[in-house]
């Protein structure tokens, strides 16, 4: 009968299916053509779970565990599998198990002290997870009213979720169910537990890590954590717990109760104190002429460098900020990536030879004219900015490659003090959904680049994968070579960025390839109550992104 069959386009060819056919059937039909597991589909540029059914025609694209969205769905689903296995082993005590952070292709989890894990427990947990995976149990999604969700998570002892949804503007919440275990997760899920075969568990810190595959999607990646990163993250989280703002719901409580001005002032005071301590370390570290500040995109390197310069001046030194961006090659000479796009993330995009000539000349006491890069014209310019280093002078050099020895190959190691800066977080979304630091940095960059570089949110999202690849290749491998790691994250920043980022994200056309990511970020920002920016100090790192900074950023 007419209307019972629908034509869709798959892999460039049209095929007809009965209306109501699950996308899971399509995935099983085409899986032989893919080396990685198909875990989601994209239908007319909209992500869908495999349980969804064909309702209308259009283009269907398969999303595998090698794709960014697929990898996230896989990790999310394995986390639900772990929670179900923990529930089977512990009962309602599972509510106290928290997924806190992503570290080296693994999720770091902690349990209550009375249930501190050991090797025997982790072995039992892994065995139970594998048993559940072998059963191919369906992961089901259903919608409940927000008030019902609040009541449900209160009964389950998931107080952070309960608090989170008290501020939910949407009238409904999607709940996932696995063999009667119920939970909420931020994002899409696999169709059943049979997909979830590649994982491992290991003791780490005060808890354990749930390890995942990386680029080889059917092999668990080696766990190689950064000790400095983990220690810095723990200090930040301890501050969040002390201030009573260690989850998004708790932050919203603080906003609603009028505590935010106090929290802003305390955190900014703490950051200034830590920058001052760093200045003391530099001053007492010998004759260091170059303070190298490196970190991933949108870490606040520029503002941090200026604030550090002020504190260095306060201890009697004469600092001079220098951005590695000023040593970019002219656009017509810049390298391109595998897709033929300009690659601003690789070390080869910088004129390292000129940088080393200038820095060694300064080290010898010579006067050097320093460049300035014009981002609008895409060219390096010289405007008479000259510098000579005296006994008390030093350069604060900031840029993503600052810790890479290949950048400053001509400078003696004893002349450098190395600082790695990254925007970590004191928050979790809730017990089982950690807050990705990369999302925070992406939102920072969307807001900043729209303001300072006339770059649309769509353009920023389009280049983000390239930025992330550059970070993984050129930045994070050097973080443990730093003398100090510094956290530039602010507990309140997403509540401030919300008002600036949302209009930019809403502007992205629904037919654009970047719309799916924009929609995800809008949902992410919807968790946060807004905080006005008027009371934030002009030297705050957040001012680098929203504007109004006292520094030239």
């Amino acid at each position: 009968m007419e209307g019972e069959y629908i034509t869709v386009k798959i892999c460039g060819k049209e095929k007809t299916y009965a209306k109501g056919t699950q996308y899971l059937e399509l995935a099983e039909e085409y899986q032989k053509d893919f080396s990685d597991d198909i875990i989601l589909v994209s239908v007319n540029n909209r992500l869908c779970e495999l349980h969804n059914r064909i309702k209308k025609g259009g283009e269907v694209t398969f999303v595998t565990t090698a794709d960014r969205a697929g990898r996230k769905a896989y990790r999310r689903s394995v986390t639900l599998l772990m929670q179900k296995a923990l529930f089977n082993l512990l009962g309602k005590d599972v509510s106290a198990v928290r997924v806190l952070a992503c570290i080296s292709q693994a999720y770091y989890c902690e349990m209550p002290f009375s249930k501190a894990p050991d090797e025997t427990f982790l072995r039992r947990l892994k065995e139970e997870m594998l048993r559940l995976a072998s059963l191919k149990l369906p992961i089901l999604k259903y919608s409940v009213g927000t008030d019902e969700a609040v009541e449900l998570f209160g009964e389950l002892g998931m107080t952070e979720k309960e608090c989170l949804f008290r501020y939910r503007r949407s009238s409904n919440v999607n709940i996932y169910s696995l063999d009667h275990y119920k939970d909420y997760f931020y994002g899409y899920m696999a169709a059943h537990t049979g997909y979830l075969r590649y994982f491992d568990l290991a003791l780490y810190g005060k808890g354990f890590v749930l390890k995942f595959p990386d680029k080889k999607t059917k092999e668990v990646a080696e766990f190689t954590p950064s000790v400095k990163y983990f220690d810095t993250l723990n200090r930040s989280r301890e501050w969040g717990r002390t201030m009573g703002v260690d989850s998004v719901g708790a932050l919203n409580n603080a906003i609603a109760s009028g505590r935010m001005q106090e929290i802003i002032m305390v955190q900014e005071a703490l950051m200034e104190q830590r920058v001052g301590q760093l200045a003391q370390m530099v001053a007492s570290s010998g004759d260091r002429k170059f303070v190298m500040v490196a970190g991933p995109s949108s870490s606040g390197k520029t503002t941090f460098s200026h604030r550090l310069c002020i504190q260095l001046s306060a201890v009697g030194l004469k600092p001079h900020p220098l951005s590695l961006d000023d040593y970019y090659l002219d656009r017509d000479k810049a390298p391109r990536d595998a897709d033929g796009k300009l690659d601003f993330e690789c070390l080869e995009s910088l004129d390292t030879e000129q940088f080393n000539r200038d820095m060694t000349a300064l080290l010898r006491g010579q006067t050097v004219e320093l460049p300035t890069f014009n981002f609008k014209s895409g060219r390096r310019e010289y405007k008479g900015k000259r510098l000579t280093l005296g006994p008390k002078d030093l350069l604060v050099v900031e840029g993503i490659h600052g810790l890479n020895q290949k950048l400053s190959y001509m400078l003696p190691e004893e002349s450098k003090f190395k600082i790695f800066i990254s925007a970590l977080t004191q928050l979790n979304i809730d017990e089982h959904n950690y807050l990705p630091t990369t999302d925070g940095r992406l939102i920072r960059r969307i807001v900043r680049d729209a303001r300072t570089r006339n770059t649309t949110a769509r353009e920023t999202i389009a280049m983000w994968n390239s930025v992330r690849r550059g970070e993984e290749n050129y930045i994070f491998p050097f973080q443990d070579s730093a003398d100090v790691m510094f956290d530039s994250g602010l507990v309140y920043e997403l509540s401030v960025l919300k008002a600036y980022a949302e209009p930019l994200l809403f502007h992205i056309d629904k037919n654009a390839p970047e719309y799916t990511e924009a929609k995800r970020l809008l949902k992410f920002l919807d968790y946060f109550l807004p905080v006005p920016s008027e009371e934030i100090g002009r030297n705050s790192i957040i001012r680098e992104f929203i504007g109004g900074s006292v520094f030239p950023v």
Side-chain angles (χ1 to χ4, degrees), residues 343-545:
D343 188 351
F344 299 114
E345 309 306 318
C346 67
L347 181 63
E348 290 74 21
S349 67
L350 298 176
D351 191 344
T352 55
E353 185 177 345
Q354 185 62 53
F355 174 78
N356 279 274
R357 281 201 301 266
D358 288 350
M359 297 305 106
T360 52
L362 287 169
L363 202 56
R364 290 194 297 264
Q366 298 175 6
T367 300
V368 173
E369 183 178 5
L370 299 173
T372 300
F373 192 82
N374 187 324
F375 281 95
K376 292 184 179 179
S377 68
R379 303 189 69 84
R380 213 182 323 157
E381 300 173 347
Y382 287 86
K383 299 180 178 180
K385 185 170 67 174
R386 290 179 169 80
L387 179 65
T388 308
L389 295 184
K392 294 287 186 179
D393 292 280
L394 75 165
L395 276 173
V396 177
V397 182
E398 63 92 1
I400 60 176
H401 298 289
L403 302 189
N404 189 338
Q405 176 60 24
K406 292 180 180 179
L407 168 78
S408 53
Y409 59 90
M410 294 178 65
L411 300 179
E413 281 299 300
E414 61 270 18
S415 69
K416 294 178 280 190
F417 187 96
K418 299 178 181 180
I419 301 171
F420 185 87
I421 178 173
S422 190
L424 307 181
T425 180
Q426 300 85 19
L427 293 173
N428 262 28
I429 296 175
D430 57 47
E431 290 90 346
H432 307 144
N433 292 273
Y434 81 98
L435 197 156
T437 59
T438 52
D439 282 353
R441 290 193 293 107
L442 173 55
I443 291 168
R444 279 183 171 190
R445 181 156 176 162
I446 287 170
V447 172
R448 182 200 64 192
D449 285 7
R451 180 179 63 83
T452 64
R453 299 182 181 179
N454 199 30
T455 303
T456 66
R458 177 183 174 180
E459 291 169 327
T460 300
I461 291 172
M463 71 175 69
W464 189 242
N465 281 341
S466 175
V467 171
R468 293 286 294 120
R469 282 196 301 270
E471 293 171 353
E472 296 296 335
N473 292 331
Y474 309 120
I475 301 171
F476 292 120
F478 303 99
Q479 62 184 354
D480 275 344
S481 69
D483 296 295
V484 175
M485 186 172 286
F486 188 89
D487 175 17
S488 67
L490 298 165
V491 72
Y492 61 85
E493 67 178 72
L494 287 165
S495 291
V496 174
L497 290 166
K498 177 186 176 79
Y500 296 86
E502 284 183 336
L504 301 171
L505 292 166
F506 275 119
H507 187 66
I508 295 177
D509 188 270
K510 290 187 176 182
N511 295 315
E514 296 77 22
Y515 175 75
T516 297
E517 180 69 351
K519 183 179 177 182
R520 185 185 72 83
L521 292 173
L522 284 166
K523 180 182 177 183
F524 175 63
L525 288 169
D526 197 46
Y527 290 123
F528 296 84
L529 290 181
V531 168
S533 61
E534 286 78 9
E535 300 301 322
I536 297 173
R538 293 184 63 203
N539 71 335
S540 175
I541 278 178
I542 200 65
R543 288 287 178 192
E544 182 172 329
F545 305 96

Side-chain angles (χ1 to χ4, degrees), residues 149-256:
V150 170
E151 183 178 352
L152 169 67
F153 292 121
E155 292 173 355
L156 294 174
M158 299 182 192
T159 56
E160 291 180 1
K161 285 186 173 68
E162 179 186 13
C163 185
L164 180 72
F165 290 116
R166 290 187 188 280
Y167 296 95
R168 179 86 169 189
R169 285 187 290 187
S170 173
S171 57
N172 293 301
V173 174
N174 288 327
I175 304 296
Y176 285 96
S177 174
L178 173 55
D179 191 28
H180 305 295
Y181 173 80
K182 299 179 178 65
D183 209 338
Y184 170 81
F185 282 87
Y186 162 54
Y188 299 101
M189 289 286 200
H192 57 71
T193 60
Y195 288 90
L196 313 178
R197 297 164 287 169
Y198 312 108
F199 63 87
D200 205 353
L201 300 164
L203 295 174
Y204 186 72
K206 295 179 180 179
F208 65 95
V209 287
L210 172 60
K211 300 191 290 185
F212 303 104
D214 188 15
K215 295 176 182 177
K216 295 181 179 179
T217 64
K218 297 180 181 180
E219 296 180 18
V220 177
E222 182 181 358
F223 181 60
T224 54
S226 164
V227 174
K228 290 179 181 177
Y229 173 87
F230 186 65
D231 289 345
T232 304
L233 187 65
N234 278 338
R235 285 195 297 272
S236 297
R237 291 193 177 280
E238 184 57 38
W239 181 87
R241 285 191 288 268
T242 300
M243 293 298 294
V245 284
D246 58 348
S247 70
V248 174
L251 174 66
N252 288 336
N253 277 342
I255 295 169

Side-chain angles (χ1 to χ4, degrees), residues 270-326:
L270 175 64
M271 185 165 287
E272 196 62 36
Q273 180 186 64
R274 288 162 52 213
V275 176
Q277 291 169 347
L278 262 179
Q280 291 285 355
M281 290 178 64
V282 173
S284 60
S285 63
D287 191 21
R288 309 285 185 105
K289 287 297 184 183
F290 304 100
V291 178
M292 313 298 289
V293 180
S297 174
S298 304
S299 294
K301 295 182 291 292
T302 304
T303 298
F304 169 79
S305 296
H306 284 289
R307 289 177 69 165
L308 180 59
C309 285
I310 291 172
Q311 292 291 345
L312 289 168
S313 298
V315 296
L317 298 174
K318 295 180 180 179
H320 305 275
L322 174 68
S323 173
L324 287 174
D325 287 359
D326 289 329

